[in-house]
Amino acid sequence: MHEIDAPARLAEASAPVNGAAAYRMLLASTPDAVLVVDETGRCLDANAQALGLLGSSRDQLLQRPAAEIFESWPPRIDQTWVTGEVRREDDIRIPVHIASSLLPETADAGPRFVVFLRSLHEGSGAEAAWARLASIVTSSPAAIIGSDLDGVIVSWNPAAERLYGYTTAEAIGESIRMLVPPGGKDTISPALERVRRGESLRNVEVERMTRDGRRIVTSVSVSPVLDTSGRVVAVSSIAYDITALRDAEQALRLRNRAVSAAPNGVVITDTTLPYSRIVDVNPAFEAMTGYTREEVIGREFGFLRGPGTDPAPLQRLVEGISAGRDVTETLLNYRKDGTPYWVELRVAAVRDEAGVLTHFVGIQTDVTASRAAEEALARERDLLKAVMAHLPDPVYVKDTASRFIRLNQATAQTLGIADPEQAIGKSDADFFPESLAREYLADEQRLFATGEPMLNKPERQSVMGNQRWVLATKAPLRDAAGQIIGLVGSNRDITEQILLQEERDRLHAELEAEIQRAAKVQAQLLPQAAPDVPGYDFAGICLPARQVGGDFFDWVSTPDGRVRVSLGDVMGKGLPASLLTATARAALRSLAEAPLPGAIDTVNRVLYPDLVQSDSFITLFHASLDPATGRLTYVDAGHGMALIQRRDGEVEPLRQRGLPLGVQEETAYRAGVAMVQPGDTLVLYSDGLPDARPDLQLDPAGVAARLDGAHNAAAKLERLVALAAEAGARPDDLTLVVIRREEAMAALAAAPATPERSSR
């Protein structure tokens, strides 16, 4: 290197004799970059050339230690130029010539170094330096772009071609704004403005668009380019593609969010740590176990096991982890509060790029509910198996082809086999006659088609000549989706009931025939014709609620010209009551000539034992009518349903009442007397009428009112029958007697008899 006299001149100019003005003038006028540094390495002063060369403002430079700028500090005190490197504000190292000198101490300042810097772009080494710089730019993996202060591209290295897709020829002369995506934020204009002010930008993330339209994320550093005078003349930008990095970071954030949001507990262990200790868990793990993340980090994973944990799956889990393979086991774990819970633990091995095992990831699924459901299902299955085995009735399961897939021992016995397994896969056609098998199959195909169960259908079965009857029930068997996958059937043996029913039907038919005969006999016992009494009109009817009844009526003419009239009601209905009516009628007829009320006293004593024995009684109205005078002598034994409707419409109830027959053995009945005048009507009725019409229960006048307008006994009788029929079905036997005395009686003329009406 050649020697120069600039350091010496600066030292002379700094002498007190020359003054500060000369110092400043020399500092400003020298073409080299000059720095003044004290003995501590602090920059005291610098000229504009130094600021431009180092890319710093004055304030920035004065705060930088000299050791950050120079390769070695303190410098060698030598006014000879040597080659070295300095570091700019933007961390770029540039080659320079360096010369240094020591200024003398003064009263105001200690020793100071004066360092001269000259860019290698000047002088005989410029070409080599530029060549080295060009080589660096060409081989750099970073995209290095040079542009003027308006952003027009002036240089474009190979890395820029690879990154952005434009060749150097395509890029030179274009605006660097072509790299901004449509609609993207303009980051270039503010950056150029800052560079014009001499500022640099470091590692700014911006979105750029490649020649083929792809959007990429780059990290860009932008610096000003200075000339030898320190003036900003161009812009240098260095860009790195960080798209993959940002995508990886986004994917990592997404995975972290997914793990945090996962409903299953996630735990991660590090195999590089002793005993593969836990390094992370997600919130679901905390919620599941009751432990916080801070409480489990650094612990061994086995801390969740407890006294009920089965060692067998735990051992398999340990063996799988030790072998570095994925493993899944179901374990009983314990929460922080000591409550047990079942988990399905899936452990996956994680390896690095070299295949080295680094971590295990465990995913815990709480299966307590499903485990309980499985155990309940198993219990139900065992219970069903036990119930089927011990049920006395045949129970079986068939598939949709009507083949047996399960049956109990009772079913096997009905099929004529010893072991239920012998029927598996077979159908009814293998055991029953063809006609019966076809019938059973048709029922089952109908069930599969409609989904409707068959309930308690009587079926005849015949196996090996043995006949029997069953009540067959078949219901569809469905899977979890509701699809029919078969049927469940059961049979209740009703052979004994069928035989009993047949015997009951036979006996019932016999009894029905007997009752019909009894009804015929009872009807024959009723009066077949009315008394031949001139001036009187007789009508009577007995309508049993069943085939036979407990009501009766009777009339009989006595030798003295009187007529005995009776209407009785035996408590109860049907055959037992009908037997008592026949007995009562016979007793009354045998005493037809005996005076009242003695005849009734005798009948009560005669019937009393039978009535007590049958726990029954009889209400009775019995009267003797003198046709010549119309005098009616009567005894009412607890009946109370007799009246006379007078010609003028007035109603006279016959109220002389005593106890029903059979209530008290010794009873002295009293007779009552009433007169039946011409135009009057005597009406007797049983409780079948008020039972059918409760509104007439205590209303004799209401009963008589229904007879108005009817002019003979038969018409009045029809009115009363219709009145009872208005209520529908009769709840009790209905018996009616109507005797009307005509208004003008011809004593010697014989009136035709009125036929008696009765229901058979």
Side-chain angles (χ1 to χ4, degrees):
M1 295 294 294
H2 61 279
E3 294 183 358
I4 59 174
D5 59 353
R9 295 202 326 266
L10 185 59
E12 293 172 357
S14 64
V17 64
N18 296 320
Y23 166 79
R24 300 306 306 176
M25 182 180 65
L26 183 59
L27 190 65
S29 62
T30 180
D32 298 318
V34 181
L35 284 80
V36 180
V37 184
D38 68 11
E39 59 183 341
T40 65
R42 182 170 62 90
C43 291
L44 301 175
D45 203 355
N47 64 355
Q49 291 84 335
L51 298 178
L53 181 65
L54 296 175
S56 301
S57 67
R58 183 176 182 81
D59 290 339
Q60 288 176 326
L61 185 60
L62 295 184
Q63 293 182 14
R64 290 185 67 187
E68 287 185 4
I69 300 173
F70 299 94
E71 289 182 289
S72 62
W73 186 263
R76 182 167 61 101
I77 305 303
D78 189 347
Q79 296 184 6
T80 301
W81 292 99
V82 296
T83 300
E85 282 186 346
V86 292
R87 189 169 60 148
R88 289 168 45 86
E89 183 71 26
D90 57 6
D91 283 340
I92 296 177
R93 296 180 181 274
I94 59 174
V96 293
H97 292 314
I98 303 174
S100 58
S101 178
L102 185 62
L103 296 179
E105 295 184 22
T106 66
D108 299 326
R112 290 162 293 166
F113 298 96
V114 180
V115 182
F116 291 79
L117 303 175
R118 182 175 295 171
S119 173
L120 283 179
H121 296 175
E122 303 175 6
S124 60
E127 293 79 0
W130 275 111
R132 186 172 66 167
L133 179 60
S135 175
I136 293 173
V137 171
T138 299
S139 61
S140 173
I144 301 176
I145 304 171
S147 68
D148 63 17
L149 296 180
D150 293 324
V152 177
I153 299 171
V154 296
S155 66
W156 186 267
N157 75 338
E161 290 183 332
R162 293 190 296 272
L163 178 60
Y164 297 112
Y166 294 96
T167 66
T168 301
E170 291 173 327
I172 297 299
E174 298 293 334
S175 173
I176 199 169
R177 291 181 175 82
M178 71 177 182
L179 302 177
V180 179
K185 181 180 180 182
D186 180 13
T187 58
I188 291 179
S189 296
L192 291 175
E193 183 61 33
R194 291 183 62 178
V195 170
R196 291 188 191 103
R197 296 196 301 266
E199 300 178 17
S200 299
L201 290 81
R202 301 283 185 85
N203 301 324
V204 179
E205 291 188 15
V206 293
E207 188 179 41
R208 293 290 181 255
M209 189 170 71
T210 65
R211 189 177 188 277
D212 59 6
R214 290 183 300 107
R215 291 175 181 255
I216 60 174
V217 181
T218 60
S219 176
V220 180
S221 295
V222 182
S223 302
V225 177
L226 309 176
D227 62 11
T228 56
S229 66
R231 183 170 56 90
V232 177
V233 295
V235 181
S236 173
S237 65
I238 302 175
Y240 292 93
D241 185 358
I242 60 171
T243 305
L245 176 62
R246 290 296 173 261
D247 289 346
E249 290 175 349
Q250 176 66 20
L252 182 59
R253 286 193 294 270
L254 179 61
R255 281 194 293 271
N256 289 338
R257 288 197 299 271
V259 169
S260 296
N264 298 329
V266 178
V267 57
I268 302 174
T269 63
D270 188 342
T271 61
T272 64
L273 298 176
Y275 306 107
S276 296
R277 298 187 182 275
I278 297 173
V279 294
D280 200 6
V281 296
N282 71 338
F285 180 91
E286 296 178 293
M288 186 182 300
T289 64
Y291 290 95
T292 65
R293 182 176 183 275
E294 291 72 19
E295 289 175 317
V296 301
I297 296 299
R299 299 184 70 171
E300 294 183 56
F301 185 68
F303 75 94
L304 294 173
R305 64 190 176 205
T309 303
D310 187 352
L314 190 62
Q315 181 61 33
R316 291 194 297 269
L317 184 65
V318 171
E319 291 173 355
I321 291 175
S322 300
R325 67 172 184 269
D326 296 351
V327 61
T328 300
E329 290 292 344
T330 300
L331 300 170
L332 181 64
N333 281 348
Y334 289 81
R335 296 183 175 90
K336 183 179 180 180
D337 61 6
T339 59
Y341 67 103
W342 286 95
V343 295
E344 181 185 71
L345 177 60
R346 301 177 181 177
V347 179
V350 179
R351 303 176 186 275
D352 61 15
E353 294 82 354
V356 177
L357 180 64
T358 60
H359 296 82
F360 280 106
V361 176
I363 300 177
Q364 290 192 105
T365 303
D366 191 334
V367 295
T368 305
S370 61
R371 179 87 177 198
E374 290 175 0
E375 292 175 351
L377 183 61
R379 288 194 297 271
E380 291 177 2
R381 212 165 30 239
D382 293 341
L383 177 61
L384 176 61
K385 186 176 180 180
V387 169
M388 285 189 63
H390 294 88
L391 274 176
D393 291 338
V395 179
Y396 54 88
V397 180
K398 291 183 177 181
D399 60 18
T400 53
S402 292
R403 294 177 300 230
F404 290 100
I405 57 176
R406 175 172 288 186
L407 62 155
N408 65 351
Q409 187 63 42
T411 304
Q413 291 176 357
T414 64
L415 297 178
I417 57 178
D419 186 357
E421 291 297 322
Q422 293 176 264
I424 301 302
K426 296 181 179 180
S427 68
D428 291 326
D430 296 303
F431 302 99
F432 296 102
E434 182 180 356
S435 59
L436 292 180
R438 281 200 306 268
E439 177 187 344
Y440 304 157
L441 180 61
D443 290 338
E444 292 168 5
Q445 288 176 337
R446 189 179 307 110
L447 180 148
F448 293 140
T450 65
E452 296 294 327
M454 184 186 80
L455 304 177
N456 294 328
K457 177 188 175 184
E459 285 185 349
R460 181 174 60 88
Q461 292 187 350
S462 176
V463 178
M464 301 175 64
N466 295 323
Q467 301 286 334
R468 70 188 197 119
W469 284 90
V470 299
L471 282 180
T473 294
K474 299 176 183 180
L477 180 64
R478 301 178 185 270
D479 61 15
Q483 298 297 315
I484 296 177
I485 58 174
L487 66 84
V488 178
S490 66
N491 295 331
R492 173 64 58 86
D493 191 333
I494 58 170
T495 304
E496 184 176 348
Q497 291 92 317
I498 292 293
L499 295 176
L500 289 174
Q501 184 62 46
E502 291 175 350
E503 181 64 16
R504 280 196 298 267
D505 292 344
R506 185 186 65 79
L507 294 175
H508 179 75
E510 292 179 358
L511 178 61
E512 186 68 20
E514 292 294 331
I515 291 174
Q516 292 294 338
R517 286 192 290 272
K520 184 176 181 179
V521 170
Q522 187 179 40
Q524 291 172 345
L525 292 177
L526 294 172
Q528 301 300 306
D532 184 12
V533 179
Y536 286 85
D537 188 10
F538 289 80
I541 192 169
C542 182
L543 301 174
R546 300 175 183 173
Q547 290 93 330
V548 293
D551 287 5
F552 71 94
F553 77 93
D554 196 15
W555 48 50
V556 60
S557 297
T558 60
D560 59 2
R562 291 180 172 81
V563 178
R564 287 289 179 100
V565 180
S566 303
L567 191 152
D569 184 359
V570 178
M571 185 190 73
K573 293 177 281 296
L575 193 58
S578 70
L579 296 175
L580 290 173
T581 63
T583 303
R585 176 183 176 277
L588 290 170
R589 282 216 166 197
S590 67
L591 297 172
E593 299 180 21
L596 293 177
I600 303 305
D601 295 343
T602 301
V603 170
N604 179 58
R605 285 194 300 273
V606 171
L607 296 181
Y608 180 80
D610 293 336
L611 292 173
V612 171
Q613 183 68 28
S614 61
D615 195 21
S616 186
F617 59 84
I618 300 174
T619 65
L620 174 70
F621 184 89
H622 185 73
S624 175
L625 173 65
D626 184 351
T629 63
R631 179 184 177 86
L632 183 72
T633 305
Y634 65 91
V635 173
D636 189 317
H639 190 70
M641 286 169 280
L643 61 91
I644 296 176
Q645 183 186 35
R646 299 299 179 184
R647 176 183 179 187
D648 60 3
E650 290 294 322
V651 176
E652 179 183 344
L654 304 181
R655 301 185 182 280
Q656 189 66 40
R657 300 174 188 167
L659 293 174
L661 305 182
V663 173
Q664 186 172 315
E665 184 174 10
E666 297 295 333
T667 300
Y669 289 95
R670 291 187 301 167
V673 177
M675 296 301 296
V676 180
Q677 303 293 345
D680 293 347
T681 301
L682 172 65
V683 179
L684 312 178
Y685 55 93
S686 69
D687 60 359
L689 179 60
D691 284 350
R693 291 296 303 268
D695 54 316
L696 301 176
Q697 185 81 36
L698 301 175
D699 189 10
V703 174
R706 301 306 197 277
L707 306 179
D708 292 342
H711 301 294
N712 57 56
K716 293 178 183 289
L717 187 75
E718 293 292 345
R719 289 278 187 92
L720 294 177
V721 172
L723 181 64
E726 290 177 0
R730 291 190 306 277
D732 200 356
D733 303 334
L734 176 65
T735 301
L736 304 168
V737 173
V738 178
I739 302 174
R740 183 177 182 275
R741 185 175 184 183
E742 297 175 354
E743 300 217 17
M745 181 177 64
L748 299 178
T754 301
E756 175 269 339
R757 300 173 66 247
S758 63
S759 107
R760 299 288 191 269

